[in-house]
Structures are given as C-alpha cells and as structure tokens.
Amino acid sequence: MLDDSPSTKVDSALAKLGQALEKGDIDAAVNLFQADCYWRDLVTFTWNLKTLEGQQQIRDMLSKQLSEIRPRHFHQDTAELASDGDGITQGWFNFETDTGRGYGHIRLKNGLVWTLLTTLTELKGHEEPKGIRRPLGAEHGHGKARRTWKEKREQEASELGYSTQPYVVIVGGGQGGIALAARLRQLGVPTIIIEKNERPGDSWRKRYKSLCLHDPVWYDHLPYIPFPENWPVFAPKDKIGDWLEMYTKVMELNYWSSTTCKSASYDETKNEWTVVVERDGEEVVLRPKQLVLATGMSGKPNVPKIAGQDIFKGEQQHSSQHPGPDAYKGKKVVVIGSNNSAHDICAALWEAGADVTMVQRSSTHIVRSDTLMDIGLGDLYSEKAVAAGMTTRKADLIFASLPYKIMHEFQIPLYEKMRERDAKFYEDLEKAGFMLDWGADGSGLFMKYLRRGSGYYIDVGACDLVIDGSIKLKSGSDVDRLTEDAVLLKDGTKLPADLVIYATGYGSMNGWAADLISREVADKVGKCWGLGSDTPKDPGPWEGEQRNMWKPTQQQALWFHGGNLHQSRHYSQYLALQLKARQEGIPTPVYGLQERHHLS
C-alpha cells in the first residue's frame, strides 16, 4: 500500500524542489508550484523581504538569484509533525545556501506548492554564541593584569563612539531599537542606540498613565529573554518601561540616553554616515556604515491645523504629549479622534472626574479584548497554545507564512465570528451613535494594522462608558475651528473646552528621515508602512510587504525598524542578519528593491 501520509507528501515535495533548485533547473522548480502560488522569502533567496506571487514572479526571481544563492539540503523538520486538513498538507523544513542556514514552511494543494516560506536563521561562520557555542564567561586560571568582565565592558562603553566607531547607529531607543541592538550584540556587530529620553523605557513611562499593552503577553516577548510565567497578560506601561531598562542592561547594549541626534548625512564615496549627536552637553560625531531609524512605526505626531488654535485660551496636546488625567478633574475636555489612544485617554479622564467628549470624525473598528484573545490570537499566542506545544518562534513563523495577498481571507471568518459573539455590544454602540466598521473588506483589526496602522480600538472597557453616556460622543462631524473657550464642529455644535487633545495619529516614518537627513532622502525612500492594498490610507500600487520596513531602501545603508513588540521581535532577526552580512563583506544581491511610492 502506498504511504500517503502528510509527512510523506511533504518529503516528496521537498525532495523534488530541492533537486530542481540544486540542479539549477528553474522550469522544473516552477512547475512544482500551483498557478495561484506564493513564495514569501525573508532574506535567504532575495536578500530582501519579498513575496513572489504566481509562477512568473517565482521564475523571474530564480533566474536572477539562483546561481548566486545556491540552495541545497532541503529536508523536513521531523521534530514538527506535518499535517493534513481542508485539502491542504503542510510541514516544516530546513535548508542551506552558500552563505547561510534557513528554515521554512510549505503548504501543498493538489500535490503542488501553494505557499512557501523561506527564512534566514543564521550566517555560516557567524553563528550566535548560544547553546553549545555559549561563551564561558568567567576566565578560569590566572594571569597578571587580567581584566574582569566589568572592566572590559566599561572599556568598550567608554571607547565606542570615540576612539572606535560603531558599525551601526540606531536612532530611537524604544522596543524596536532595543530588540534590534540585542540581535546585533549577539552577532558581534558594534552598535550604539541614540535615545533622547533619560532612561530606557521612558518612551512608555512618559505616556498617559492608563496606557498598557493591549496585546497579550504571549504575543509580546523580546528576543532571548521571554517574560516570566507570572508576568501579567496586559502589562502596564511603567512595568514595560522597567522591563526594557532591565533588558538593556543585562543584554549589554550600548545605550546612549539623554542624547539628541541633530543630523545625519551619507557620503557616497566613503560609504559611511556622518551622524552628529549631542551627549552630556558635547557634540559627538559618529561615523557608522549603517543607519537605522527605529523612531516608532507611527512616525511623527499628526497635529491637524485648525483655525483658531492660536486664540484658544485652554491647553492643546497631541495624545503623545498627554500626561494623564490628574490635573483635569472638573475640567471640560474634548478629545478629537476615536481610536486606541482616544478611548484610553477618555476613559482615564472620566475616572479622574473630567467632563469628556469624544469627537469621532470617521468610523472605527472595535473588537473586545477578550474576544480578540480567544478567537483572533488563541491558537498561536495564549496559555492554551503554550500548553499545546506552541512556541513563540513557531507562532511567529506560522503568522509569517500567510502571504499578505490572501491573509484577509483567513481573517474575515474570524471577525464574522467575533461580530456574532458580541452582537449585543455592537448594537448598543451603534445606538449610542458610534460609527463602526470592520475594515474595507470585513477583515478586521490585523489587516487594518498592517495596511494603515490605525483605525481601530481594542476595547478594554472604554466602550461601556461610551454606551452609557459617561464619555460623551459627537460623531459624524469634523472640527471647523476653535474659539477662545470651545471647539466648534462643522455641523454647528459648540463643545466648551478647557483642554483639547488631538488623538489624531502619526505620519509616515520617513518624516523622521526628512528631519534628520534631508527632505530629498525622505522623498527618495518614500512612504513607510502599508501594503499598497488600495484601501483607505493604504494607497496602491500593491507591494505585498510592509513598505520600506526591515529591508533595503532606495537610500543605501538606511533602514527602518519599528512596529509592535511582536514585529520588533520577529523582524529584528532578519534586519540584524542583513546588517551582519554587510559588515562581513558577504555578497548580498538584493532582488526586488522596494520602489518609491508616495512621499509620505
């Protein structure tokens, strides 16, 4: 009897694919894929983050890259069981290239490859010092003038940036910059983080006091050091700040706090940056080969220009500047916006005794936290998933294995289930006048985040205050102007105000490049974030990956790193490996370099 087990099917497909690729037989390799197929490559074949859609795109990539990459030794990971279900067979595999080792995921449909994920895990000869390669640490034995670990660390910290130069400078010391620096540290890449705040974690500590993670703990681990088993599901901002500070110290990161990055320019002849910073009252000039902007996926605060802002006698704050509710008891507050920050701030102000009104100018997607955790994340990031053997790495790779082009098809049924479960909740919100949406195609929160990074709220209680009127709601009309003591809406409504908070989001990350480098470079790179889905705030053309994030850009040696804790953890690995390869002079022929689309 023929063995048609899932494992056998995966073995057979990998053997054929590996044989075709090793022989350089592109036709044979392409013919193993369905007509509607997807190959998502994270660095191994393309030295890029690139999704190839359809046989022709795969053929084009292989024709340009195969002879350089020389992949081989494709074999199934027997530690992970292959599976069958709904006409799909899937499994995991290892492979190698000339320069590195990779790991992948494969889905078969009708015996042909439907989706393929290939990821670079390490560079040959530059493996991380972990497991059997972990450092000894203490030096046993004896010797005159031996230096301790502490003395060596202090010398490194005092010399780097002065008598020796970093290979990488990371501007921005939040979760993204810290995660990337930790990866680079393990790869032996000299790196300095530049951060204007006084302490690591201040980017969390200095936000409004009710801020907390809306994503659950299983989704939010940093590289190398996961949160302990008793860490709360939703960590308060100050607890996250303390964790980041601890992490920075124990991971031995060169973190320049209270330091301002004043300018950066790239010398095309020397292939290096000149980065001017102010540290401890003195100007320091750094000359790294690579510059990473980790200034936050959301970019620069968007503060709308509204007539009358110059005559309003009360306070005006962007949500990123809002200190919290304590000073506003008994005050009238108008919050312009209706997404995550707006809801959090409104709820905290109400708790502190303020009279608060939310101005909702456009529809918002709402999902209840408990429902999202159960239906949206439960199979990959939950205690239930951990008990079933799910690891953070495996969960990240499963999520990464779904091409963005079809990801919404997997998300829509989940959000339909959420809508059904919480039907009474949504009915009550709409009765209160709240304008709801479910994304451009009903695919909900994750696709909104990936496409535009805004337009949603994960409800942790504020919606009940909107429903019962504790948070006053004015929806469907934009702001016309401010007077000395009020916000006037275009429908004629007058909202008396002592404080106006603009919870109006952020611009593209390349806005930071305009400030630090030049508008010319910012425009050369183009918009950061978004997939090109041609949905609201994510204009086409289709890119199929996050624009300009974690991968080469049109400006040589300039990189962007950001996103939530999940993305900071996952994509920092691939960005770190790209930077390490360049430090070591390993050939990195980039396929499909991101074209510039949209200036901001």
Side-chain angles (χ1 to χ4, degrees):
M1 176 180 271
L2 292 175
D3 180 3
D4 61 351
S5 68
S7 179
T8 299
K9 294 177 186 176
V10 170
D11 273 339
S12 176
L14 289 174
K16 292 175 184 176
L17 180 62
Q19 185 179 43
L21 293 176
E22 287 187 48
K23 286 183 175 180
D25 190 340
I26 293 174
D27 286 339
V30 170
N31 288 337
L32 296 171
F33 288 81
Q34 288 204 140
D36 63 328
C37 57
Y38 303 88
W39 182 343
R40 189 178 190 213
D41 181 62
L42 304 183
V43 184
T44 46
F45 281 74
T46 61
W47 287 104
N48 199 353
L49 274 60
K50 189 72 177 174
T51 299
L52 309 160
E53 300 173 0
Q55 292 180 340
Q56 187 52 47
Q57 288 190 15
I58 292 172
R59 182 186 304 277
D60 185 72
M61 184 275 286
L62 290 177
S63 68
K64 293 179 172 65
Q65 299 293 103
L66 189 56
S67 61
E68 294 277 352
I69 303 303
R70 294 171 56 84
R72 50 192 177 272
H73 301 157
F74 282 74
H75 61 280
Q76 188 171 180
D77 180 1
T78 55
E80 295 288 347
L81 292 177
S83 63
D84 263 334
D86 298 323
I88 305 297
T89 302
Q90 54 185 314
W92 300 90
F93 62 93
N94 295 282
F95 66 101
E96 294 182 21
T97 68
D98 262 3
T99 58
R101 298 180 185 89
Y103 193 71
H105 182 270
I106 189 170
R107 289 186 181 89
L108 304 172
K109 187 189 288 188
N110 301 318
L112 297 173
V113 179
W114 178 38
T115 72
L116 188 70
L117 172 71
T118 48
T119 72
L120 184 63
T121 58
E122 61 185 7
L123 296 167
K124 293 177 179 177
H126 306 286
E127 297 82 0
E128 291 188 11
K130 61 184 181 182
I132 61 172
R133 292 186 294 270
R134 74 167 71 227
L136 185 60
E139 295 182 15
H140 300 307
H142 49 78
K144 291 183 178 181
R146 285 203 303 165
R147 291 181 301 151
T148 65
W149 167 84
K150 182 173 183 290
E151 289 168 335
K152 293 176 183 177
R153 180 75 185 101
E154 287 173 345
Q155 180 180 0
E156 176 196 14
S158 67
E159 292 178 352
L160 190 62
Y162 296 95
S163 59
T164 63
Q165 285 298 315
Y167 183 76
V168 177
V169 163
I170 300 171
V171 180
Q175 63 210 31
I178 287 172
L180 177 59
R183 300 273 194 191
L184 291 169
R185 178 79 184 182
Q186 297 308 302
L187 290 169
V189 180
T191 302
I192 293 176
I193 302 172
I194 304 299
E195 171 57 46
K196 64 183 179 181
N197 284 312
E198 296 82 9
R199 297 162 56 196
D202 275 354
S203 56
W204 285 85
R205 292 188 192 92
K206 291 187 175 183
R207 296 293 304 279
Y208 54 89
K209 74 176 190 178
S210 62
L211 178 66
C212 67
L213 278 173
H214 288 203
D215 300 319
V217 62
W218 307 278
Y219 189 71
D220 294 326
H221 297 299
L222 289 176
Y224 310 112
I225 309 177
F227 292 113
E229 292 184 357
N230 61 350
W231 194 263
V233 174
F234 301 108
K237 69 179 182 72
D238 295 288
K239 195 171 180 67
I240 289 293
D242 289 347
W243 182 264
L244 292 174
E245 187 169 26
M246 176 279 298
Y247 185 92
T248 301
K249 188 175 183 66
V250 300
M251 294 304 293
E252 303 176 28
L253 306 186
N254 295 299
Y255 193 100
W256 285 17
S257 58
S258 300
T259 302
T260 304
C261 187
K262 298 171 69 176
S263 67
S265 59
Y266 189 68
D267 189 322
E268 302 281 352
T269 57
K270 293 182 179 179
N271 293 327
E272 72 178 21
W273 290 91
T274 298
V275 181
V276 180
V277 305
E278 186 173 310
R279 186 189 192 204
D280 297 331
E282 94 173 279
E283 190 172 276
V284 181
V285 178
L286 302 172
R287 302 193 185 278
K289 296 297 184 182
Q290 308 288 337
L291 179 64
V292 180
L293 298 187
T295 45
M297 175 276 287
S298 298
K300 297 179 65 178
N302 273 334
V303 179
K305 293 181 179 179
I306 299 171
Q309 286 174 318
D310 56 335
I311 65 170
F312 181 69
K313 291 185 175 179
E315 289 185 73
Q316 299 177 68
Q317 303 162 350
H318 186 266
S319 58
S320 61
Q321 304 162 326
H322 178 61
D326 294 349
Y328 304 103
K329 181 178 181 180
K331 303 290 186 181
K332 293 184 180 297
V333 183
V334 174
V335 177
I336 299 170
S338 55
N339 296 333
N340 262 338
S341 292
H343 278 84
D344 284 349
I345 289 170
C346 283
L349 284 163
W350 174 83
E351 289 177 343
D355 180 342
V356 59
T357 300
M358 179 190 295
V359 176
Q360 184 187 26
R361 301 171 300 164
S362 58
S363 64
T364 306
H365 173 57
I366 304 286
V367 60
R368 299 182 81 175
S369 176
D370 289 349
T371 305
L372 177 65
M373 285 180 60
D374 181 21
I375 297 175
L377 293 171
D379 290 342
L380 296 181
Y381 302 99
S382 68
E383 205 63 53
K384 176 184 72 175
V386 172
M390 182 63 68
T391 63
T392 302
R393 176 177 182 247
K394 184 177 177 181
D396 288 350
L397 290 172
I398 290 173
F399 195 78
S401 73
L402 285 175
Y404 289 127
K405 187 77 170 181
I406 58 174
M407 186 178 284
H408 66 285
E409 297 174 14
F410 291 80
Q411 293 293 308
I412 290 170
L414 301 179
Y415 285 89
E416 288 176 345
K417 191 175 179 181
M418 294 181 205
R419 191 198 307 233
E420 182 179 345
R421 175 182 291 190
D422 295 327
K424 178 65 165 57
F425 167 76
Y426 293 115
E427 180 184 338
D428 291 344
L429 263 178
E430 290 187 311
K431 281 182 181 177
F434 196 89
M435 299 184 296
L436 289 167
D437 73 60
W438 290 83
D441 49 12
S443 58
L445 185 145
F446 282 120
M447 294 312 301
K448 262 204 165 186
Y449 174 72
L450 293 167
R451 289 165 172 169
R452 54 183 280 190
S454 65
Y456 52 84
Y457 168 56
I458 302 174
D459 179 40
V460 292
C463 285
D464 290 338
L465 299 175
V466 173
I467 289 169
D468 69 17
S470 298
I471 295 173
K472 298 173 184 177
L473 176 68
K474 182 61 184 176
S475 62
S477 182
D478 208 340
V479 177
D480 181 54
R481 66 186 188 277
L482 303 186
T483 66
E484 291 185 350
D485 60 359
V487 177
L488 295 185
L489 304 184
K490 291 183 177 178
D491 66 2
T493 301
K494 181 178 181 180
L495 303 173
D498 301 300
L499 167 66
V500 176
I501 298 174
Y502 302 106
T504 45
Y506 301 82
S508 171
M509 275 185 78
N510 69 334
W512 294 114
D515 286 352
L516 294 175
I517 309 167
S518 69
R519 170 51 63 185
E520 180 184 15
V521 166
D523 290 349
K524 182 179 180 181
V525 169
K527 178 182 172 66
C528 298
W529 206 260
L531 305 173
S533 63
D534 205 23
T535 57
K537 297 191 178 182
D538 184 27
W542 177 249
E543 170 65 20
E545 291 286 342
Q546 293 293 347
R547 283 191 175 129
N548 286 315
M549 300 301 297
W550 317 296
K551 60 184 179 180
T553 68
Q554 288 288 341
Q555 173 57 55
Q556 184 179 345
L558 177 64
W559 311 77
F560 294 87
H561 177 61
N564 57 30
L565 280 159
H566 157 80
Q567 290 169 310
S568 293
R569 172 188 68 244
H570 181 62
Y571 289 105
S572 60
Q573 176 181 0
Y574 307 113
L575 178 48
L577 288 168
Q578 291 174 82
L579 293 168
K580 177 63 175 177
R582 285 162 172 80
Q583 182 205 20
E584 296 297 336
I586 295 171
T588 57
V590 175
Y591 174 81
L593 180 66
Q594 163 79 65
E595 295 181 15
R596 184 192 77 173
H597 293 297
H598 315 292
L599 300 186
S600 61

